[in-house]
Amino acid sequence: MAAPASSKPSSKQQNPVAVAYLVAYNVAQVMGWSAIFFIIVSHIFTEREVKGLYQKVAPLLNIFQTAAVLEIFHCAVGLVKSSVMMTGFQVFSRVMLTWGVVYSVTMVHDIFGVFMFLFAWTVTEIIRYSFYVFAMAGEVPYFLKWCRYTFFIVLYPIGVTGELLAIWGSLNYVKMSNIYSYDLPNVYNMSFSYYYFLIGCMVMYIPVFPQLYMYMLAQRKKVIGGGDVRPKTE
């Protein structure tokens, strides 16, 4: 769904080891997502189509999106001030889509929805992680702050639409193959339908996305309107 929660440094930032680690993590993420962005732009300009794009970005995407799981750890141990539950939900939605949908269902690799969320994720993450790097350095350039609290207005709807199209495009295969499902009878006397799980995930976008979007609009009004420029907990 939306970008994972903030990496706002906590009081533990006074620890030089914690500072060095958080800076290294965020810089690495900027570099990784920048490389993905370069591949996307290069592919679109040379191939003039989205076919084959996922195969090119998949190695880096799988690494750097999965690495975001560390952000749950950052919250849990107090390295950053953010909700473990909210961060976990946001990271899970991205990782689930990365591995549980696009990686697992090859038939969705070349649909336009995948390009949509790849583009939205990539631009969002380059801005987000760059924002955190400058915030830890002590000052965020106004242009970067403006991008952080403006680009989401377009990127979030694009990303969410792409995510929903990717999940929708995977449903027939998931239902026919019964992938990741666990049927009765079995020794545990319980079952799990991955097909209905994905449908449930799509339904969850209805209440969650508007709330997150309105929250970000409120944050934009506060920050761009002259409020606190330090990173928030979104």
Side-chain angles (χ1 to χ4, degrees), residues 16-203:
V17 176
V19 174
Y21 167 74
L22 288 174
V23 170
Y25 171 79
N26 286 289
V27 169
Q29 287 283 17
V30 171
M31 295 174 64
W33 287 101
S34 295
I36 294 172
F37 181 75
F38 175 80
I39 294 172
I40 292 174
V41 173
S42 176
H43 178 87
I44 295 301
F45 271 94
T46 57
E47 303 297 331
R48 306 290 181 178
E49 61 180 359
V50 300
K51 184 177 181 180
L53 173 62
Y54 172 77
Q55 286 79 1
K56 291 182 179 179
V57 303
L60 289 176
L61 174 69
N62 294 341
I63 291 172
F64 288 97
Q65 185 54 69
T66 305
V69 173
L70 290 172
E71 295 178 25
I72 303 174
F73 170 78
H74 297 166
C75 299
V77 301
L79 282 177
V80 299
K81 293 181 179 179
S82 190
S83 165
V84 176
M85 182 176 297
M86 181 60 69
T87 301
F89 175 80
Q90 293 175 330
V91 170
F92 169 77
S93 68
R94 287 279 200 91
V95 173
M96 187 279 294
L97 192 70
T98 299
W99 291 101
V101 176
V102 186
Y103 177 84
S104 301
V105 183
T106 58
M107 66 175 55
V108 304
H109 287 181
D110 296 327
I111 69 173
F112 195 74
V114 172
F115 165 74
M116 291 174 66
F117 78 69
L118 283 176
F119 177 79
W121 286 9
T122 302
V123 177
T124 298
E125 298 298 58
I126 292 172
I127 295 171
R128 186 171 72 94
Y129 287 114
S130 297
F131 183 93
Y132 298 149
V133 171
F134 280 100
M136 285 186 288
E139 184 176 357
V140 180
Y142 179 79
F143 175 72
L144 184 58
K145 180 176 64 173
W146 184 87
C147 290
R148 166 69 171 147
Y149 290 99
T150 302
F151 282 17
F152 81 91
I153 296 173
V154 175
L155 292 176
Y156 276 22
I158 291 175
V160 165
T161 301
E163 293 168 26
L164 290 171
L165 288 174
I167 297 173
W168 178 262
S170 72
L171 289 179
N172 284 339
Y173 174 82
V174 170
K175 186 175 184 179
M176 293 177 61
S177 67
N178 212 31
I179 184 175
Y180 303 141
S181 295
Y182 193 60
D183 296 328
L184 289 171
N186 57 69
V187 295
Y188 301 105
N189 197 33
M190 59 180 295
S191 63
F192 171 75
S193 171
Y194 190 56
Y195 173 77
Y196 287 109
F197 170 77
L198 290 180
I199 292 177
C201 288
M202 295 179 70
V203 172

